Amino acid sequence: MTIRLIALDIDDTLLSSARKILPSTKQAVQAALSQGIKVVLCTGRPLAGVQPFLDELGITGDDQYVITYNGAVIESAAGRVVARHLLDNQAYREITALGKKLGLPTNVLDEHSNIYTADRDVDWWIVEQAAENEAGLFIRDPDELPATFAIAKGAFVGPQALLDQNEPKVRAALGERFYVVRAGRYFLEVMDPLVNKGQALRDLAAVLALSTEDIMAVGDEGNDIAMFDVAGLPVAMGNGTAEAKAHAKVVTGTNDEGGLAAAIRQYALR
């Protein structure tokens, strides 16, 4: 197996617990790029929220790629869209209505990195999400937006206990028609049923004429499992969930002890 593409989750994988890229990680990623290996950030964030990390790592241009919104959009680092799968206005309304019914803080993201919520008392998690991703934040009821308004994903956010309590209800209401995934302790996301990091990775491999056997995927959470099931070499972070580790072939060190850099050096660099 020769690794030709490395797919990297961002939060708690590329980033340390201090939300920084370790020097060892940066060195390993840049070494991979210098050997012609594609390094693709695969994240639930929009491109605007990924751009600072792309810049720091030196991933630039129209021949480098990023998978955003958990797979809803595949685009080049220069912003050229390769593929997109959006949810229509009816889905947006249904997600918003369910959030109100369950008392869950709810927001949706359009493909332009803007966040919309119908919650007049905006939850702290939504505000942080907007700030972290350099996104616009708009308080709008569905009737205030055009019938053509489409979204890349919906998200229920809040304390872990609140999401733990309501996740079965969300899955029961939406799970048969949408892709519902726990993207982290504080995020439960809803997307097009064709969307996940694994499908996006498979689609990008086809564009690049790569075998999925030559892909190494590194992550830590439930939303990374789909790409683990596609990649020839799935690697879970030491700080990852038990579920993620169960789907990996390799478990490396944690995000605070250089686990990502160690995995890249051991399995990808020539």
Side-chain angles (χ1 to χ4, degrees):
M1 177 188 297
T2 300
I3 299 300
R4 300 175 64 190
L5 187 154
I6 304 172
L8 299 179
D9 172 56
I10 292 182
D11 294 292
D12 296 319
T13 298
L14 176 68
L15 302 183
S16 69
S17 58
R19 298 187 178 183
K20 302 291 184 182
I21 299 176
L22 298 179
S24 62
T25 299
K26 184 175 179 179
Q27 292 166 5
V29 167
Q30 291 178 337
L33 291 169
S34 72
Q35 293 187 8
I37 300 171
K38 300 286 187 187
V39 178
V40 179
L41 302 190
C42 301
T43 176
R45 298 170 182 245
L47 183 59
V50 181
Q51 195 62 57
F53 308 123
L54 296 174
D55 293 342
E56 184 174 354
L57 295 169
I59 300 174
T60 61
D62 213 35
D63 62 344
Q64 299 291 343
Y65 298 88
V66 59
I67 292 171
T68 55
Y69 300 107
N70 272 325
V73 179
I74 305 171
E75 53 199 310
S76 73
R80 175 176 57 87
V81 174
V82 176
R84 60 162 66 87
H85 298 282
L86 304 181
L87 292 174
D88 63 16
N89 188 272
Q90 181 56 41
Y92 156 58
R93 289 173 176 272
E94 189 171 350
I95 292 166
T96 298
L98 182 63
K100 286 184 176 295
K101 178 181 177 181
L102 297 177
L104 284 174
T106 306
N107 68 93
V108 301
L109 289 87
D110 68 12
E111 62 176 320
H112 306 296
S113 302
N114 294 313
I115 294 177
Y116 294 81
T117 180
D119 300 342
R120 299 295 168 177
D121 296 320
V122 182
D123 189 85
W124 179 84
W125 288 103
I126 297 175
V127 175
E128 185 190 47
Q129 191 179 3
E132 188 176 72
N133 291 294
E134 300 182 9
L137 176 57
F138 300 90
I139 302 174
R140 299 287 189 274
D141 284 322
D143 289 341
E144 296 179 82
L145 294 166
T148 56
F149 181 69
I151 62 172
K153 68 175 183 177
F156 303 107
V157 304
Q160 182 176 352
L162 180 65
L163 292 186
D164 287 347
Q165 176 185 350
N166 284 281
E167 182 175 351
K169 300 174 185 176
V170 172
R171 291 189 179 278
L174 303 177
E176 291 187 3
R177 292 171 294 116
F178 301 98
Y179 172 50
V180 179
V181 64
R182 191 70 176 263
R185 287 173 291 177
Y186 314 114
F187 299 95
L188 179 62
E189 299 186 347
V190 182
M191 285 156 286
D192 183 283
L194 298 177
V195 164
N196 59 63
K197 288 185 180 183
Q199 185 59 51
L201 200 54
R202 187 180 287 110
D203 292 343
L204 181 58
V207 169
L208 299 175
L210 296 179
S211 167
T212 55
E213 284 300 307
D214 296 331
I215 295 176
M216 172 178 163
V218 191
D220 71 295
E221 270 287 356
N223 62 331
D224 298 317
I225 290 173
M227 69 176 183
F228 282 5
D229 293 343
V230 168
L233 181 60
V235 179
M237 297 297 294
N239 52 285
T241 65
E243 184 184 20
K245 290 176 181 177
H247 285 257
K249 291 182 179 178
V250 172
V251 177
T252 188
T254 71
N255 59 329
D256 286 330
E257 60 189 18
L260 175 55
I264 291 173
R265 286 195 299 266
Q266 181 171 356
Y267 299 106
L269 297 185
R270 297 185 286 277

